[in-house]
Amino acid sequence: MRIILLCKKRASQSSVSHTIFDPSEKLRPESVYNGKLESQFRDYTEDSDDPIKERVRKTYLNMHTHQTVDFVKSRMEKWLKFDKCKMTVKEALIKLNELVDESDPDSDLPNIVHAFQTAEKIRADHPNDDWFHLTGLIHDLGKIMAFYGEPQWAVVGDTFPVGCAWGDSIVYRETSFENNPDGANPKYNTKYGMYKPKCGLSNLLMSWGHDEYLYHVLKHNKSTLPKEGLAMIRYHSFYPWHAGHDYMHFCTDHDMEMLNWILKFNKYDLYTKSADIPDIEKLWPYYESLIEKYIPGILEW
């Protein structure tokens, strides 16, 4: 589906088709991850008889209907007071054992399993980058909002900027925004909307979700994760940018530098999802040492 969306976007950019591609791609076998072809991940085709596909579609329909400039501002006002709860990173991870992401077409396992799958694969490939291991472990911790009254459509799923035209590569783009009032607002429905060219991703108002929330939680609690880890956390769900190549007109040189790291992280976030469950109890001591190093103590959420 990802490939189809990209092709549609490119075709729409010109009235004349001048498709250029590397012929060797046709001969290259498709990558396989955990027994699945690469193209079988992020399958957003609709099938009303498939309960998971229907759950995913409804989650995105609600998201794309209700994520407006005013809604996002209201969520920031609510959540960035950091007065909802106090808990350690480990306690938050354990809480994720009760959460199944309603926007995810690739996994029906509790989110803590995905956290350890991601972290362990990163650890295997990058043994000397302990901050990267920890980033993989905690990247979805912002989903704890779902336990404090936030509907999943305002917690999970792909993110996108509000206050400007919606990118062509957003999943369900053609049908799911029909009832979003920002689409009829001339201040918000143009290419740049309420922003300026090359203003930087950090100056965009993103649809509210776990990425933006966790980024602010870490900054508020003075985490010492490097800027690369913070960028991975803040933008790992921003698929219309890092996979769909939309919104590049807002990017600075710094954003493009961080894009390389986000793409490096993305393959671990996406392609480690499988039925193989890590021995979480055995792994805790190592990851607790990283938590103590980079995000110690009780955090304000």
Side-chain angles (χ1 to χ4, degrees), residues 97 107 143 199:
N97 200 44
S107 178
K143 293 179 182 180
C199 62

Side-chain angles (χ1 to χ4, degrees), residues 131-157:
W131 64 268
F132 198 178
H133 313 165
L134 182 60
T135 299
L137 185 73
I138 69 167
H139 71 280
D140 279 341
L141 276 190
K143 293 179 182 180
I144 68 162
M145 289 189 293
F147 298 105
Y148 296 92
E150 204 64 61
Q152 283 214 23
W153 56 260
V155 175
V156 302

Side-chain angles (χ1 to χ4, degrees), residues 5-265:
L5 287 170
L6 287 177
C7 290
K8 284 179 67 178
K9 177 176 181 290
R10 288 171 183 149
S12 67
Q13 289 175 337
S14 173
S15 59
V16 181
S17 176
H18 294 291
T19 304
I20 300 173
F21 61 91
D22 179 359
S24 67
E25 291 289 340
K26 291 285 187 181
L27 305 176
R28 197 168 295 161
E30 187 174 354
S31 299
V32 176
Y33 301 92
N34 295 305
K36 288 176 65 175
L37 293 172
E38 183 177 350
S39 61
Q40 292 177 311
F41 288 84
R42 288 181 57 80
D43 177 5
Y44 292 103
T45 54
E46 297 183 27
D47 182 353
S48 59
D49 294 325
D50 184 321
I52 292 180
K53 286 183 183 293
E54 188 64 4
R55 179 195 73 192
V56 171
R57 184 192 67 80
K58 288 180 178 179
T59 300
Y60 275 102
L61 178 61
N62 280 319
M63 179 196 303
H64 295 166
T65 298
H66 301 295
Q67 289 273 8
T68 64
V69 170
D70 288 343
F71 175 79
V72 173
K73 288 180 177 179
S74 74
R75 296 303 87 185
M76 295 181 76
E77 172 67 21
K78 174 181 177 179
W79 286 100
L80 300 190
K81 293 176 180 176
F82 308 107
D83 60 355
K84 302 301 176 288
C85 61
K86 293 183 179 181
M87 68 176 79
T88 65
V89 168
K90 182 176 181 179
E91 288 170 335
L93 281 162
I94 291 171
K95 201 162 187 64
L96 285 188
N97 200 44
E98 305 167 32
L99 180 72
V100 173
D101 186 330
E102 294 178 358
S103 73
D104 193 341
D106 298 315
S107 178
D108 234 2
L109 293 170
N111 225 249
I112 193 174
V113 175
H114 170 56
F116 276 93
Q117 287 173 332
T118 305
E120 280 295 282
K121 182 57 177 171
I122 293 172
R123 183 182 177 189
D125 290 355
H126 301 273
N128 298 321
D129 297 324
D130 64 354
W131 64 268
F132 198 178
H133 313 165
L134 182 60
T135 299
L137 185 73
I138 69 167
H139 71 280
D140 279 341
L141 276 190
K143 293 179 182 180
I144 68 162
M145 289 189 293
F147 298 105
Y148 296 92
E150 204 64 61
Q152 283 214 23
W153 56 260
V155 175
V156 302
D158 295 1
T159 58
F160 56 93
V162 296
C164 61
W166 302 302
D168 290 341
S169 66
I170 297 175
V171 296
Y172 306 111
R173 167 67 180 86
E174 294 183 359
T175 58
S176 60
F177 284 96
E178 292 177 351
N179 295 315
N180 186 310
D182 282 2
N185 189 328
K187 293 189 298 183
Y188 301 147
N189 63 14
T190 63
K191 178 179 179 178
Y192 291 103
M194 62 183 193
Y195 310 109
K196 296 184 182 300
K198 298 189 181 302
C199 62
L201 297 187
S202 64
N203 289 309
L204 302 181
L205 198 62
M206 298 295 295
S207 58
W208 185 249
H210 67 283
D211 296 35
E212 191 72 5
Y213 176 54
L214 181 59
Y215 168 79
H216 285 288
V217 166
L218 294 173
K219 295 287 286 185
H220 174 74
N221 288 281
K222 297 179 171 55
S223 167
T224 57
L225 280 174
K227 65 181 186 299
E228 294 85 358
L230 293 174
M232 291 172 185
I233 286 166
R234 193 174 194 181
Y235 300 117
H236 71 271
S237 300
F238 191 7
Y239 276 89
W241 171 53
H242 64 67
H245 308 296
D246 287 325
Y247 305 107
M248 291 294 179
H249 47 284
F250 293 127
C251 291
T252 62
D253 290 343
H254 173 75
D255 294 327
M256 298 310 293
E257 178 188 351
M258 291 301 102
L259 176 59
N260 294 324
W261 284 99
I262 294 162
L263 290 172
K264 184 180 292 188
F265 171 79

Side-chain angles (χ1 to χ4, degrees), residues 266-286:
N266 178 250
K267 67 179 182 179
Y268 298 108
D269 182 21
L270 182 57
Y271 299 128
T272 57
K273 295 172 183 176
S274 71
D276 296 330
I277 300 177
D279 187 343
I280 292 175
E281 288 304 316
K282 183 178 178 180
L283 295 171
W284 270 125
Y286 173 70

